[in-house]
Amino acid sequence: MKNIIKRTKEALIEVHKNKSYLISSLIFAFLVFAFNVLINNYRILISNFTLKLFFSLLVGTIYVMSITSFILLIVMSLLSGIVFSMSIFLVKRQITSNIGASSSTLLVSLIAPACPSCAIGLLSTLGFGSFLAVLPFKGLELGVFGVILLGISVVYLSNKIVTKTCDINSNTGGKKKWKIFQ
Amino acid sequence: MEEHHEEHKKHREHKKKETVTFTKIGLWQGVSGVLGILLVLSLFTGGFGLKDSPSKVAGIVPSGVAPSAPSAPSAGITDMKALADDDAFLGKKDAPVTIVEWSDYECPFCERFHSQTLDQIKSQYIDTGKVKFVYRDFPLGFHDPLATQEAMAAECAREQGDDKTYFDFHDLIFKTTKSNGNGLQVSQLYDMADTLGLNKAKLIECIDSGKYKAEIQKDIQDGAAAGIQGTPGFIINGKLVSGAQPFSVFKQVIDAELAG
């Protein structure tokens, strides 16, 4: 556990010591946050667009969701930003093998933090609010699930960033293969 | 003949040993691709058409209008008179802007809108004749049975008076309830009749008869057809505003409607 924390910390520092990665993390985190809170009101935003309305809707987030959902959304947005920057960092270092995993996890951050009673998030917008309402914590569990997945993704990517040697014994260039027999 | 049989057998064995190999990234990329495609498809089909289409409820959106829209009405095409139905309202009947709210008495966010935002809308727009504010019920299943009982109680109170009686009862419910489906005892609901000088026995009889259940169901159906995805949800002159947004959001939308 200590080793995981150490590696993650090292990777975070290595990626974010470059200001452009720090900025890209923050921008992506903001985009995920904005997407989640504005998706339900995108029609009014398009038809009556003003910057004042845009910021009022963003600030309104504090009013339209519970503190727990709000904190989950902030954590998830920040983690998404970190995963995004780490992925770009790996692409630039030409260690591309984890980008698929990262992009799948990032999709979770666009879907997960839904709150059926306050109509927040993509699932509510797509009409799955009633499905979420059946869940014991009314969709909050998806937010927690999202944070866990993103956390795993950060740890996984950190490992790749910190590791600076190639696997000698691998004949697949470090890629694991799945075989399906026909 | 035997040779041919053996050859065929060999061919089958050879076929059996053929493998398809996926790299781990390939698998992840495939999954991401499929998820991405599903996401885009669901955006364009309104959740794969699983939602109630507007056409299911007559009178909300004129027929032939916005048939492919997932649910929410586009600006200017919604028949606000039909949306307002015959439900209780505040303000001038022919005000230039109509706000229809769908709300649940047990929803904490609806209570928040009621206590923090509605008063400002009332003083600046409803009392000045600029806005007509209609209240429609949208009790959520997980707040029932109390949410529906409260909605019926308010309708029963209206029966004994007028829209003012309705909103007095409505305000009292929101002031009393602690929300989330168990915010008050049903006996407290009955006692509100005494507080407001209504006939308590009549109110209890009305609630128990369930005569307003159909009316509440219609409110829910109309709300779903109008694009309401959660409570509170609002249609302001045909435009959907979702959630207990601060006053500044309502002010900008209402001002734009008054200006346009």
Side-chain angles (χ1 to χ4, degrees), chain A residues 37 39-44 47-48 50-54 56-67 96-105 107 110-111 115-119 122 124-129 133-134 138 156 175-182, chain B residues 15-25 27-29 31-32 35-36 39 42-43 46-48 50-51 70-75 107-109 112 116-117 140 142-143 227 229-232 236 239-246 248-249 251-254 256-257:
Chain A
V37 299
I39 182 84
N40 281 281
N41 283 307
Y42 75 92
R43 290 181 192 92
I44 195 85
S47 63
N48 288 29
T50 59
L51 274 178
K52 208 176 160 191
L53 179 63
F54 177 77
S56 293
L57 284 167
L58 279 183
V59 172
T61 315
I62 304 161
Y63 298 89
V64 301
M65 56 169 73
S66 67
I67 290 288
T96 55
S97 60
N98 301 291
I99 305 313
S102 315
S103 49
S104 307
T105 322
L107 266 180
L110 300 181
I111 295 169
C115 164
S117 59
C118 50
L122 186 66
S124 299
T125 306
L126 294 177
F128 297 110
V134 177
K138 313 288 176 260
Y156 188 67
K175 295 172 189 174
K176 283 184 184 170
K177 288 192 172 184
W178 303 66
K179 285 182 178 179
I180 297 172
F181 291 93
Q182 279 190 339
Chain B
K15 234 187 162 184
K16 254 187 189 176
K17 281 179 188 168
E18 273 181 10
T19 56
V20 175
T21 311
F22 293 103
T23 59
K24 209 173 170 187
I25 355 158
L27 204 65
W28 274 113
Q29 280 166 346
V31 171
S32 304
L35 280 174
L39 192 72
S42 63
L43 274 172
F48 302 104
L50 292 173
K51 290 174 77 178
S71 55
S74 308
C107 160
F109 305 101
R112 195 179 285 178
Q116 293 180 3
T117 312
L140 300 167
F142 55 92
H143 289 153
Q229 299 128 4
T231 57
I236 304 176
K239 291 172 180 169
L240 176 75
V241 174
S242 188
Q245 300 293 343
S248 57
V249 170
K251 183 175 165 50
Q252 284 168 73
V253 178
I254 295 168
E257 285 306 308

Side-chain angles (χ1 to χ4, degrees), chain A residues 8-108:
Chain A
T8 309
K9 204 176 152 188
E10 272 176 39
L12 282 174
I13 292 169
E14 179 154 358
V15 173
H16 290 99
K17 70 184 174 194
N18 183 336
K19 268 185 188 169
S20 58
Y21 284 113
L22 184 67
I23 291 167
S24 75
S25 284
L26 291 174
I27 288 175
F28 195 79
F30 175 76
L31 289 177
V32 170
F33 179 82
F35 174 83
N36 273 287
V37 299
L38 298 176
I39 182 84
N40 281 281
N41 283 307
Y42 75 92
R43 290 181 192 92
I44 195 85
L45 199 57
I46 291 168
S47 63
N48 288 29
F49 186 80
T50 59
L51 274 178
K52 208 176 160 191
L53 179 63
F54 177 77
F55 285 112
S56 293
L57 284 167
L58 279 183
V59 172
T61 315
I62 304 161
Y63 298 89
V64 301
M65 56 169 73
S66 67
I67 290 288
T68 326
S69 301
F70 185 70
I71 292 170
L72 267 179
L73 181 56
I74 297 277
V75 172
M76 195 170 311
S77 305
L78 289 173
L79 285 175
S80 303
I82 290 169
V83 170
F84 177 77
S85 285
M86 283 182 159
S87 306
I88 301 290
F89 183 85
L90 284 174
V91 170
K92 282 202 170 172
R93 267 184 26 183
Q94 294 177 329
I95 307 170
T96 55
S97 60
N98 301 291
I99 305 313
S102 315
S103 49
S104 307
T105 322
L106 288 175
L107 266 180
V108 173

Side-chain angles (χ1 to χ4, degrees), chain B residues 209-260:
Chain B
S209 73
K211 64 197 276 191
Y212 286 108
K213 261 189 183 163
E215 158 66 23
I216 291 160
Q217 276 307 312
K218 187 176 184 301
D219 284 1
I220 295 171
Q221 279 181 326
D222 288 358
I228 302 299
Q229 299 128 4
T231 57
F234 308 85
I235 301 287
I236 304 176
N237 271 14
K239 291 172 180 169
L240 176 75
V241 174
S242 188
Q245 300 293 343
F247 175 68
S248 57
V249 170
F250 287 94
K251 183 175 165 50
Q252 284 168 73
V253 178
I254 295 168
D255 286 347
E257 285 306 308
L258 288 171

